[in-house]
Amino acid sequence: MPIPSKGKLLLAIGLSPWVLFAWTLPAGAQSRLSPVVGKEWIYTVQPTDTLSRIATRHALDLRRLLAINGLTSRKPLRAGQTIHLSDRHVPPPADGATLVINIPDGLLYRYEADSITIYPIGLGEPTAKTAQNPARWRTPVGSFTVVEKRKNPAWNVPPSIQEEMRDAGKTVLTQVAPGPKNPLGTRWIGLSAWGYGIHGTNAPASIGRYSTHGCIRMRSEHVEEIFDRVAKGTNVRIVYQPAKLAVDGNAVYLEVSRDVYRQIPDMKAHVQRLIRDAGLTARVDPAHVRSVIKVRGGIATRVDRGAPAPFPKSTP
């Protein structure tokens, strides 16, 4: 909210500046620096399982779980059924930043010398409730620095949000004191883009959604960990990369997420251009590529020739 690789190729190409439910990918999902992080596996449904319970237990995004298995939340699971689970991602290039946020991923990547830690986040809503400026609440893209750190912050409600409260017929607040009703949670990390920052939340179910006024929202335990690890002056990059490629040995990975801010008029052409520019056209299976584009599950998936078909069907 406005308030404040040796032998390996990694490509993640986005657009600039705008070419700029509750779920968790665990903080602590760390790995040696690699073109891809995470894993995939097959899970057998247990008698008491539901889709949301499986997603929560394995720290997965429910919508991604549904997409890569061709499932819907309305259709119950059956004991003994197998489904495909994955938390594999292609990290965006750090380019000198310690924190990198990729808007279509809905993830924050914290880079250290030999590891990457991934956190789920909430981001700015795609369309504001105003015809004058429908994109006013989108999270901005760019390179920023940390300029402020506050524990248990008060929230000084910006005039733009006061106006929204007034239009919605709500009580207009000018300040919210620290505490359980404060939407900033327990920590505020202000960025050099005035009014924008990384902060906690009193609504953890909003993590993974695009519902903020442009801020980067995190679970309390995650933002507290970030707060303790970054100093003023830390570099932060916010990028918009709905399609990413990575090569690891003989494997070619493609990750395609939803184009939440509708910046890519033709995703198929965009991905084909990424593949061509990377010199990988002869190495990828066109059918695999089409499948990943169609699903847009936000999961790094092998698309090289000879790789298994993406997103195996769940079994009855």
Side-chain angles (χ1 to χ4, degrees):
M1 71 184 53
I3 20 179
S5 119
K6 288 185 178 180
K8 296 178 179 178
L9 169 68
L10 173 60
L11 290 171
I13 302 174
L15 306 175
S16 174
W18 277 111
V19 216
L20 189 217
F21 144 74
W23 69 279
T24 58
L25 182 64
Q30 299 188 8
S31 162
R32 306 297 287 184
L33 291 179
S34 169
V36 292
V37 294
K39 62 186 185 303
E40 58 183 64
W41 67 102
I42 300 298
Y43 177 77
T44 301
V45 176
Q46 302 302 304
T48 59
D49 276 339
T50 64
L51 285 164
S52 60
R53 286 176 183 172
I54 293 170
T56 300
R57 185 184 312 128
H58 295 280
L60 301 173
D61 177 0
L62 177 58
R63 287 175 291 186
R64 283 175 171 146
L65 186 155
L66 295 172
I68 65 177
N69 285 282
L71 299 172
T72 70
S73 57
R74 298 178 182 179
K75 187 175 181 179
L77 296 173
R78 293 180 296 278
Q81 180 178 356
T82 62
I83 58 176
H84 180 212
L85 304 184
S86 178
D87 62 6
R88 182 170 284 162
H89 296 283
V90 176
D95 287 350
T98 298
L99 304 180
V100 179
I101 294 151
N102 186 20
I103 292 171
D105 289 358
L107 299 172
L108 181 151
Y109 300 79
R110 177 168 60 84
Y111 288 76
E112 295 185 327
D114 61 353
S115 66
I116 302 171
T117 306
I118 303 176
Y119 305 84
I121 53 178
L123 292 161
E125 62 180 278
T127 305
K129 302 174 182 65
T130 168
Q132 289 74 23
N133 186 2
R136 70 186 299 185
W137 300 137
R138 293 180 180 181
T139 300
V141 166
S143 296
F144 310 103
T145 57
V146 172
V147 296
E148 182 184 23
K149 295 174 62 180
R150 285 190 280 136
K151 292 185 177 181
N152 300 315
W155 179 35
N156 297 312
V157 184
S160 58
I161 298 181
Q162 293 182 39
E163 177 187 346
E164 188 179 72
M165 293 173 175
R166 188 176 298 108
D167 292 343
K170 298 179 180 179
T171 301
V172 177
L173 305 174
T174 58
Q175 186 181 73
V176 179
K181 295 184 178 180
N182 191 311
L184 302 187
T186 62
R187 299 291 186 275
W188 165 256
I189 303 171
L191 301 180
S192 53
W194 186 88
Y196 292 93
I198 302 167
H199 63 77
T201 182
N202 62 347
S206 66
I207 302 302
R209 298 183 183 274
Y210 295 83
S211 59
T212 79
H213 293 86
C215 66
I216 297 90
R217 184 182 293 174
M218 302 184 75
R219 290 184 176 276
S220 295
E221 64 271 24
H222 294 169
V223 74
E224 289 171 11
E225 180 177 315
I226 291 285
F227 188 94
D228 290 341
R229 289 177 177 267
V230 300
K232 291 182 181 179
T234 295
N235 292 325
V236 179
R237 292 183 66 231
I238 304 177
V239 299
Y240 195 92
Q241 297 174 358
K244 297 177 290 181
L245 278 172
V247 176
D248 189 357
N250 294 323
V252 179
Y253 289 90
L254 172 64
E255 180 175 349
V256 180
S257 298
R258 294 180 302 134
D259 180 16
V260 290
Y261 290 172
R262 298 184 180 180
Q263 299 302 308
I264 312 297
D266 186 337
M267 185 63 73
K268 180 179 178 181
H270 179 65
V271 170
Q272 289 176 336
R273 184 164 57 252
L274 290 180
I275 292 171
R276 182 180 65 250
D277 291 349
L280 296 171
T281 303
R283 293 183 58 178
V284 302
D285 185 318
H288 290 359
V289 172
R290 287 194 297 270
S291 180
V292 174
I293 295 171
K294 179 180 179 181
V295 171
R296 301 192 189 189
I299 295 295
T301 306
R302 285 188 62 176
V303 294
D304 47 281
R305 295 181 185 273
F311 317 122
K313 297 294 184 182
S314 60
T315 64

